[in-house]
Amino acid sequence: MSEPQEMTTPDHSELFHPSESIVENSNVMAYARSKGLSSYEALYQWTLDNNEEFWADMANELEWYEPWTKVLDDSQKPFFKWFVDGKTNIVHNAIDRHARSWRKNKLALVWEGEDGTQRTFSYHALNREVNKMANVLKSVGVKKGDIVTIYLPRIPELPMFMLACAKIGAAHSVVYGGFSEAALADRLADAQSKVLITADGGFMRAKIIELKKIADEAMSRTPTVQTCLVVKRTGHDVNMELGRDLWLHELMGLPIASAECETEVVDAEDPLFILYTSGTTGKPKGVVHTHGGYMVGIYATLKMVFDMKEDDRYWCAADPGWITGHSYIVYSPLINGATSIMYEGAPNYPFPDRWWSIVSRHSVTILYTSPTAIRGLMRFGEAWPSRHDLSSLRLLGSVGEPINPEAWKWFYGVIGGERCPIMDTWWQTETGHFMITPTPVVPLKPGSATKAFLGVEVDVLHEDGTSCGANEDGLLTLKRPWPGMMRTILNDPQRYVDTYWTKLPSMYAAGDSARKDEDGYIWVIGRLDDVIKVSGYRLGTAEVESALVSHPAVAEAAAIGLPHEVKGNAIHAFVILRATFEGSPKLEDELRSHVGHELGPIARPDQITFVSSLPKTRSGKIMRRVLKARAQGLPEGDVSTLEE
Ligand code: WT7
């Protein structure tokens, strides 16, 4: 079993102050001064008192084809609308306006393959590529309002196809390249995609991930798919089905793939993408985001929190397949006119200093990553980063789960040379952009995402909706709408209402537990629903369980997350076998692989225990909290509803 994570009780009084020059030169204080305000606290209060003016200011820094008539329409709560009647396209702000300014010659994307290959794109080049791809999409029949599913490795074609879809008004549904065929098939079916974009394969630690093969299996279960566009990355032999599968490079050489393409004018509220995320049931939720509000929210947060400046070299080391990548690798850096770095492979390939070598070779100034990656690299020791000149760094960021103070201090000291503030950003697939986060002018407490972003109102509540006292555990909530908020769940608006808007009186229930300390700093504790964060990835216990029971040997299963030193949480599954099967290490291995095959390698349980019964309530609900307590040797708490 994995070692329990060392949990130092966070020290609520330890404060790290930003330097005067950081404060002085920050984008956020420049904005405060433009409002005649001299402190960040005063600015925050101003953004609450003048909420619509604040978001309108941010929106006015971008270009619109037609102005909005109303900033916020809350008449159909919780189906909020932002920038009502505004006409735009996120791609206009991400590419078009830069490609016709001096920025056309600025690097938009610097990509490094795991094998050391480099591909770079100026805004001009990116525009051409995206236009060509948009024309390819049109040529295979993609229209405004369609949902195109994208299943690609971490190569430039991934962001470029997202942009190409958005450009022509089609929504994209990106399925993370680490997911397996069942996960891909479910998402294809839910989105009713007619077009799937994949690659022959991807590289991870020099091994080929057989994406096309997985896509073939998924497509055999989803008859809606008529066309599959295939990007050549690995060059190994793959099956190409006549009449369905087309090589992208062949299409890109044809006259249909012209480098000119008009950007479609869309409504601010038109869908930009669907991104599936895990929740309480086995069926992932198709979170819907739109062009207008999302564009404004991600633009403002990156600008203010990561203090984006024209000469920055920004690297968000996540995968574009998750919300972090959608918002802060693909769209927001481009909207901000930034140069951003993207890396294909594993952080420790070929050696544990790969990331530090990237930072120094590309002179990265801002590095945004996750606690699990930091803990993973920390394990190899200080010698690896110390071989590289990391002095270009000026700001660091963390996302995905609470960062333990040990990892925070290592990141701050060893990587940031005690000079770079760490932006610990709390947000969700559903929120679209940062909600609780410092800006570079906020004194930091290691392990706390600090306070609400400008214009955002956060609280910690009891179940009856009253506020918790200082340091009391409660439900994390967002008390007013924000522009980048999800609009609904695809095909299931009722689930949107039930999941987020009924647990607390007319407020957004985030599904996290948290506490607020005496200084108003928020400390996120963890998920309250049946979601496990493994290496920052979000997995539903029900998804793991249904993968397990799809194996012929398994009668019933329960999955829980237990603390893990690097991953944050590791999955531990309890399995009741069917009568003719007997538990053995071999079967345990087989079940682990089975889950990996069904859902993807990240979902493989670390441990499987064969049991003869599971603790349940009288209504038959598995009490995972009891399993968790037992597995950790902790008191079981209130078990009055236990059936046994
Ligand atoms: C959940 C959302 C949004 C980016 C990636 C995760 C946890 C996220 C933090 C943080 C503590 C965090 C929460 C949240 N979480 N960031 N800085 N501190 N917890 O998106 O997969 O939708 O997961 O991640 O539990 O609810 P996601």
Side-chain angles (χ1 to χ4, degrees):
M1 195 177 135
S2 50
E3 290 289 306
Q5 193 183 337
E6 193 188 329
M7 276 298 178
T8 318
T9 317
D11 177 355
H12 287 187
S13 59
E14 197 174 17
L15 274 179
F16 287 75
H17 290 274
S19 74
E20 240 169 72
S21 83
I22 290 179
V23 177
E24 195 57 34
N25 298 312
S26 65
N27 290 341
V28 70
M29 288 315 292
Y31 179 62
R33 286 191 296 269
S34 78
K35 293 284 155 188
L37 301 164
S38 58
S39 74
Y40 181 69
E41 292 68 34
L43 176 64
Y44 174 71
Q45 191 53 48
W46 181 88
T47 63
L48 291 194
D49 299 340
N50 303 274
N51 204 246
E52 295 194 9
E53 185 180 337
F54 166 62
W55 290 117
D57 276 356
M58 298 298 115
N60 276 321
E61 292 184 15
L62 303 175
E63 292 182 2
W64 297 75
Y65 298 126
E66 278 175 47
W68 59 86
T69 54
K70 207 168 185 265
V71 174
L72 170 65
D73 174 359
D74 59 3
S75 60
Q76 328 259 325
K77 245 176 8 198
F79 297 95
F80 297 93
K81 290 190 179 122
W82 284 85
F83 306 107
V84 182
D85 299 325
K87 299 282 182 263
T88 187
N89 187 310
I90 196 166
V91 176
H92 176 84
N93 282 296
I95 303 179
D96 303 4
R97 69 186 179 121
H98 305 310
R100 49 156 216 252
S101 78
W102 66 269
R103 281 202 196 92
K104 61 180 176 289
N105 295 327
K106 182 175 173 175
L107 285 181
L109 181 65
V110 176
W111 178 84
E112 182 167 311
E114 198 185 65
D115 58 3
T117 323
Q118 308 253 344
R119 292 171 71 191
T120 54
F121 300 86
S122 63
Y123 276 90
H124 171 79
L126 181 68
N127 187 37
R128 279 181 61 89
E129 288 299 299
V130 168
N131 285 350
K132 284 168 74 71
M133 288 174 167
N135 284 322
V136 166
L137 288 174
K138 283 186 184 171
S139 78
V140 298
V142 177
K143 293 197 177 55
K144 185 173 178 181
D146 287 352
I147 304 174
V148 174
T149 297
I150 304 179
Y151 181 62
L152 284 172
R154 227 177 291 156
I155 54 177
E157 284 77 5
L158 173 46
M160 290 192 300
F161 263 121
M162 292 164 68
L163 292 154
C165 287
K167 173 150 194 141
I168 61 172
H172 52 74
S173 161
V174 178
V175 178
Y176 170 58
F179 275 137
S180 303
E181 106 236 7
L184 176 59
D186 286 352
R187 286 158 177 78
L188 277 169
D190 190 64
Q192 293 282 298
S193 284
K194 293 198 285 280
V195 175
L196 170 66
I197 300 167
T198 189
D200 49 358
F203 287 115
M204 191 48 76
R205 295 195 171 81
K207 274 203 344 226
I208 289 178
I209 315 281
E210 296 272 0
L211 291 181
K212 179 62 168 62
K213 214 167 166 180
I214 298 169
D216 282 342
E217 287 175 41
M219 283 188 284
S220 71
R221 299 201 219 168
T222 39
T224 54
V225 181
Q226 291 160 7
T227 307
C228 178
L229 298 177
V230 188
V231 180
K232 191 172 234 155
R233 167 63 185 130
T234 56
H236 74 298
D237 269 347
V238 294
N239 159 60
M240 293 292 282
E241 197 174 299
L242 200 67
R244 186 194 67 188
D245 302 348
L246 299 164
W247 285 109
L248 177 71
H249 63 272
E250 289 177 0
L251 298 173
M252 292 286 269
L254 300 177
I256 45 139
S258 139
E260 303 291 321
C261 179
E262 279 290 308
T263 301
E264 186 80 28
V265 175
V266 300
D267 191 89
E269 284 294 313
D270 278 344
L272 170 64
F273 65 83
I274 318 296
L275 188 56
Y276 288 88
T277 191
S278 300
T280 306
T281 71
K283 189 174 156 40
K285 301 177 271 200
V287 169
V288 178
H289 283 286
T290 55
H291 274 258
Y294 175 79
M295 161 179 103
V296 173
I298 59 171
Y299 162 72
T301 43
L302 194 65
K303 177 177 172 180
M304 302 295 191
V305 174
F306 282 111
D307 198 39
M308 296 303 286
K309 301 278 164 59
E310 207 61 77
D311 58 355
D312 271 315
R313 287 182 150 235
Y314 163 85
W315 181 24
C316 169
D319 190 285
W322 303 100
I323 191 70
T324 310
H326 279 50
S327 300
Y328 298 111
I329 295 178
V330 183
Y331 289 112
S332 186
L334 294 174
I335 296 171
N336 275 281
T339 295
S340 82
I341 316 292
M342 183 173 157
Y343 166 59
E344 177 182 42
N348 56 349
Y349 186 86
F351 299 110
D353 62 345
R354 181 60 183 266
W355 271 24
W356 317 126
S357 147
I358 293 175
V359 168
S360 87
R361 278 183 293 110
H362 295 285
S363 287
V364 171
T365 56
I366 302 168
L367 172 62
Y368 185 30
T369 182
S370 63
T372 186
I374 298 164
R375 289 191 296 261
L377 290 166
M378 195 171 135
R379 254 183 338 167
F380 297 110
E382 272 176 46
W384 293 101
S386 69
R387 287 181 192 177
H388 298 275
D389 177 7
L390 304 178
S391 62
S392 56
L393 289 170
R394 71 177 188 93
L395 272 177
L396 301 172
S398 169
V399 63
E401 55 179 319
I403 179 165
N404 47 315
E406 294 77 9
W408 194 98
K409 285 181 184 156
W410 191 82
F411 200 32
Y412 184 77
V414 176
I415 305 306
E418 295 182 1
R419 149 191 100 248
C420 313
I422 299 178
M423 302 297 106
D424 179 353
T425 61
W426 178 95
W427 58 297
Q428 308 177 300
T429 305
E430 294 88 337
T431 70
H433 49 84
F434 310 153
M435 290 286 111
I436 307 172
T437 175
T439 62
V441 308
V442 171
L444 304 173
K445 298 189 182 191
S448 164
T450 72
K451 299 182 183 184
F453 181 69
L454 301 175
V456 172
E457 203 181 351
V458 173
D459 205 358
V460 177
L461 304 178
H462 298 117
E463 274 175 28
D464 64 6
T466 56
S467 290
C468 291
N471 297 315
E472 219 185 315
D473 286 12
L475 314 173
L476 188 64
T477 181
L478 302 167
K479 291 175 99 167
R480 53 169 89 203
W482 60 97
M485 65 198 308
M486 72 184 290
R487 297 302 195 260
T488 188
I489 292 174
L490 185 70
N491 305 326
D492 201 351
Q494 192 56 47
R495 189 172 175 197
Y496 166 65
V497 177
D498 295 345
T499 310
Y500 306 103
W501 298 98
T502 53
K503 307 217 161 107
L504 293 165
S506 83
M507 277 176 261
Y508 175 88
D512 280 8
S513 64
R515 64 182 75 120
K516 205 196 263 188
D517 71 15
E518 46 288 334
D519 300 323
Y521 280 56
I522 306 283
W523 299 80
V524 174
I525 301 161
R527 297 289 308 186
L528 285 163
D529 52 7
D530 296 320
V531 165
I532 312 175
K533 287 240 124 186
V534 180
S535 300
Y537 299 131
R538 183 163 155 180
L539 290 165
T541 51
E543 287 169 275
V544 178
E545 289 158 7
S546 72
L548 280 165
V549 296
S550 72
H551 187 281
V554 178
E556 229 183 317
I560 58 167
L562 289 179
H564 182 280
E565 210 182 347
V566 175
K567 299 196 248 186
N569 292 286
I571 297 176
H572 187 152
F574 296 83
V575 164
I576 303 178
L577 292 174
R578 288 184 191 279
T580 52
F581 290 87
E582 221 169 282
S584 67
K586 191 167 159 277
L587 183 58
E588 193 183 324
D589 269 353
E590 193 181 314
L591 292 180
R592 229 184 266 138
S593 312
H594 177 74
V595 176
H597 184 76
E598 283 291 301
L599 283 174
I602 45 168
R604 281 166 70 103
D606 272 37
Q607 206 186 351
I608 292 181
T609 308
F610 298 109
V611 292
S612 54
S613 71
L614 289 167
K616 285 186 188 163
T617 61
R618 279 174 206 108
S619 60
K621 206 171 172 298
I622 296 168
M623 294 180 84
R624 295 192 186 78
R625 143 181 95 70
V626 172
L627 282 171
K628 209 166 157 163
R630 281 184 194 164
Q632 293 177 281
L634 298 169
E636 290 180 14
D638 178 11
V639 286
S640 56
T641 55
L642 197 65
E643 187 208 43
E644 284 169 344

